Amino acid sequence: MTYSVAVSGASGYAGGEILRLLAAHPDIEIRTVTAHSTAGQPLIQHQPHLRSLAHLTIQETTPEVLAGHDVVFLALPHGQSGQYTDALGDAALVIDAGADHRLESEEAWDAFYGGDFHEPWTYGVPELIIGGGKQRARLAGATRIAAPGCNASTVSLSLAPGVAAGVIDPSDIVSVLAVGPSGAGKALKTNLLAAEILGTANPYAVGGTHRHIPEIRQALAAAMSENRSDVGGSAQKSPTSARFSDGQGIGISFTPVLVPMSRGILATSTAPIVPGTTDAQIRDAWESAYADETFVQLLPEGVFPRTADVAGANTALLGLAIDRSANRVVVVAAVDNLVKGTAGAAIQSMNIALGLPEDRALSMNGVAP
């Protein structure tokens, strides 16, 4: 079966990456591309690397244009998807790459985004631990999917195994991320001009203001099972699960730093080790969580990833260290923010929802040099 697809925000970075990956998908027909200010112009004018899609013309983003497709991708700025999702009730599968349907808490939405709150959709990170299983099970057959924030999913995948296994304390997480400017979108902004970012590194959203913080808390809260193994290996009800059930007890200091690479995230996250936990138990938590995963891979002990190794790939590479002098676990994660962080996660989730092979049109191999 071939599925017809419409992609909104087609002239932007996220929309362009969704189209690049879908162009190689054997079960997909890209029928419609839409945008706002670029409507009426050839897609190739704004995405000159998408040569196989040169026949497409960008249409205006309206519910009427998006309707009638098997799958609709919304790659719009935060706060703009809701007006269309409310009108796409008959669409078989809608995937939002924005933030409008990610958060379960209206209070968190008001605090970090503002504007109209929309119902939460199934979160599009298949490998994320939820209770005793994976988010993949919830995506099977889903009709409404919220693709993740790139920084949020990177940190969540980094720490969820340790949180789920009870080997780290989630009340004192510190994450510092080196991120490329493509994560901020394609709109012209002075602070993203080449003259402003080349040869320098710039922190932003410092002091607990980044919008991905509640998304991380939500994901890590979901990783905490009511019945999990303690560090000694015996299953029991966790005394801390209630404390963190709504994500509020999860304390995270989150600092992104803009660096001069067009795409990529290198996230270094640390958390305290739970007393009595051995090094073997710590490493086993991550090894067992991702042993069977294609697109999330734990590197050998002492090896840490580079962003160059995941460029163009739907792969998250993790390096794990145990710092006994500080009594903390250190996880270094590298992802391509436009692939595994956004478009790849969206298409991987689409494949699962439609019952297709999960890796269809997605590669674990990066591009080098």
Side-chain angles (χ1 to χ4, degrees):
M1 178 179 178
T2 299
Y3 298 90
S4 62
V5 171
V7 177
S8 69
S11 56
Y13 287 138
E17 197 71 354
I18 290 170
L19 289 168
R20 182 181 74 86
L21 297 174
L22 289 177
H25 200 300
D27 304 299
I28 292 299
E29 176 197 358
I30 302 172
R31 185 175 296 173
T32 303
V33 294
T34 78
H36 288 294
S37 61
T38 58
Q41 300 172 15
L43 175 67
I44 201 73
Q45 180 177 329
H46 298 276
Q47 305 288 7
H49 61 300
L50 300 180
R51 307 311 300 178
S52 67
L53 303 179
H55 60 286
L56 293 173
T57 298
I58 300 172
Q59 301 183 51
E60 186 69 31
T61 301
T62 67
E64 293 75 21
V65 171
L66 296 174
H69 298 82
D70 297 315
V71 184
V72 176
F73 287 89
L74 301 172
L76 302 172
H78 304 317
Q80 294 189 18
S81 299
Q83 60 183 310
Y84 302 107
T85 58
D86 292 344
L88 290 173
D90 294 335
L93 176 58
V94 183
I95 302 173
D96 185 12
D100 293 36
H101 295 278
R102 291 176 190 160
L103 297 184
E104 298 173 0
S105 167
E106 185 171 358
E107 182 180 358
W109 175 266
D110 290 341
F112 284 84
Y113 290 93
D116 293 337
F117 176 75
H118 297 276
E119 65 173 326
W121 287 358
T122 305
Y123 196 49
V125 184
E127 302 91 350
L128 189 66
I129 298 171
I130 51 166
K134 294 284 183 73
Q135 183 68 9
R136 175 178 290 108
R138 296 182 179 179
L139 286 164
T143 61
R144 297 293 182 269
I145 296 171
C150 54
N151 296 316
S153 60
T154 303
V155 174
S156 298
L157 288 169
S158 296
L159 298 177
V163 171
V167 299
I168 60 173
D169 178 1
S171 67
D172 184 20
I173 294 168
V174 178
S175 292
V176 178
L177 300 85
V179 301
S182 59
K186 211 172 187 177
L188 288 175
K189 300 174 184 177
T190 300
N191 68 310
L192 300 180
L193 295 174
E196 300 291 333
I197 67 172
L198 293 178
T200 186
N202 307 291
Y204 66 98
V206 178
T209 61
H210 197 283
R211 289 174 167 179
H212 287 177
I213 290 174
E215 189 177 337
I216 296 169
R217 288 181 177 143
Q218 178 177 290
L220 294 182
M224 305 186 77
S225 173
E226 285 296 316
N227 293 285
R228 68 185 185 191
S229 296
D230 66 6
V231 295
S234 59
Q236 63 177 24
K237 185 178 179 68
S238 168
T240 59
S241 59
R243 175 186 170 197
F244 298 114
S245 61
D246 60 357
Q248 294 307 305
I250 295 173
I252 177 167
S253 173
F254 180 92
T255 306
V257 180
L258 190 67
V259 298
M261 57 183 180
S262 61
R263 57 167 77 199
I265 297 172
L266 189 72
T268 302
S269 300
T270 78
I273 299 168
V274 170
T277 309
T278 67
D279 289 9
Q281 288 167 338
I282 292 169
R283 188 159 186 90
D284 179 68
W286 274 263
E287 287 180 343
S288 59
Y290 297 134
D292 298 325
E293 296 292 349
T294 300
F295 295 122
V296 181
Q297 300 179 14
L298 179 66
L299 298 176
E301 189 171 354
V303 179
F304 298 91
R306 309 177 305 166
T307 55
D309 299 330
V310 294
N314 190 51
T315 304
L317 295 180
L318 309 180
L320 175 69
I322 300 168
D323 183 353
R324 284 294 177 180
S325 64
N327 198 42
R328 298 180 76 90
V329 169
V330 182
V331 181
V332 180
V335 305
D336 184 321
N337 60 294
L338 292 177
V339 187
K340 187 56 176 169
T342 307
I347 292 170
Q348 185 180 351
S349 298
M350 177 200 73
N351 286 338
I352 296 169
L354 296 176
L356 300 173
E358 188 171 329
D359 62 352
R360 187 67 57 87
L362 299 171
S363 177
M364 72 171 72
N365 297 325
V367 177

